[in-house]
Amino acid sequence: MILPIYIYGQPVLRKVAEDITPDYPELKQLIADMWETLAESEGIGLAAPQIGRAIRLSVIDLDPLAEDYPEYKDFRRAYINPHIVEYDDSQTSSSEEGCLSLPAIHEKVVRPTRIRVQWMDEDFRQHDEWIEGYLARVMQHEFDHLDGKMFIDHISPLRRQLIKNKLKALTLGRYRCGYRTKPVKR
């Protein structure tokens, strides 16, 4: 089932998400719904807060980028209870980011190019590894959602001031996008 994506201003997007256990109700169906929602919105990542759930769950599909990043051919993973436990700040990169919860807003964000992540897969097997490159950026973006953060929190105060009116328009429901959304109730 395609779920609505919560738009900037929804309180759940600023909550710190909770870890879940294997007995979380209908987890497999929720993950399937997140995959369907992600495909419909033509995104590459989706975190549970973006569909109104304050739980530590995210899906990432980098296969659409395989032409530019051949190493991500068929890359499609769900991350349960992911936590970034270490940032290697020795090298950073700046790249433009966008977000399904912030339609039509894109800004350059500086992030470390290497991070250490712990998470569980769909069978609740524990993983702990260093991630590099573009996947590290996507993980930081998606896992920020699980900590109540958004990519705009990483831009300069000046850039934030320059997009203030766009952000206000989102909270007022004045935006257009090609996927199902849940705007802030007024």
Side-chain angles (χ1 to χ4, degrees):
M1 172 172 59
I2 296 170
L3 305 168
I5 294 177
Y6 282 53
I7 298 299
Y8 176 80
Q10 286 279 6
V12 70
L13 294 173
R14 293 303 191 173
K15 286 184 179 170
V16 175
E18 300 285 328
D19 282 350
I20 59 174
T21 60
D23 62 350
Y24 187 84
E26 300 182 34
L27 180 59
K28 296 272 188 215
Q29 184 59 52
L30 177 60
I31 293 171
D33 291 346
M34 288 178 72
W35 284 125
E36 193 174 348
T37 302
L38 183 62
E40 178 68 19
S41 62
E42 298 181 358
I44 59 171
L46 183 66
Q50 293 180 276
I51 56 160
R53 307 263 185 122
I55 59 171
R56 294 193 80 84
L57 172 63
S58 183
V59 296
I60 296 176
D61 182 0
L62 295 184
D63 186 62
L65 306 177
E67 191 173 304
D68 294 326
Y69 299 95
E71 65 271 27
Y72 297 129
K73 176 96 176 102
D74 300 323
F75 185 97
R76 187 175 139 113
R77 288 198 188 131
Y79 296 89
I80 298 170
N81 301 336
H83 293 272
I84 298 172
V85 294
E86 195 171 343
Y87 294 86
D88 179 353
D89 292 324
S90 65
Q91 197 168 10
T92 61
S93 72
S94 176
S95 188
E96 190 172 273
E97 294 186 20
C99 180
L100 296 173
S101 294
L102 292 156
I105 296 179
H106 297 85
E107 291 289 329
K108 284 201 175 268
V109 177
V110 176
R111 294 191 188 269
T113 58
R114 187 169 180 258
I115 57 173
R116 183 172 154 224
V117 183
Q118 294 177 344
W119 81 93
M120 293 179 199
D121 59 28
E122 291 183 61
D123 297 317
F124 278 80
R125 285 187 303 252
Q126 185 72 40
H127 298 266
D128 184 332
E129 68 180 293
W130 282 94
I131 307 292
E132 298 184 30
Y134 193 73
L135 177 58
R137 173 173 293 280
V138 175
M139 285 181 154
Q140 287 172 80
H141 177 107
E142 294 308 322
F143 301 167
D144 268 357
H145 281 298
L146 307 178
D147 292 326
K149 298 177 190 167
M150 302 180 87
F151 81 87
I152 56 171
D153 298 335
H154 298 287
I155 63 176
S156 72
L158 175 60
R159 289 297 316 154
R160 183 91 183 229
Q161 185 64 31
L162 291 171
I163 64 168
K164 187 172 100 177
N165 288 338
K166 289 181 181 180
L167 294 173
K168 177 118 176 111
L170 290 176
T171 65
L172 296 173
R174 294 194 304 244
Y175 60 89
R176 292 167 112 165
C177 59
Y179 46 88
R180 203 169 147 215
T181 63
K182 184 165 179 86
V184 177
K185 287 198 175 183
R186 292 267 164 227

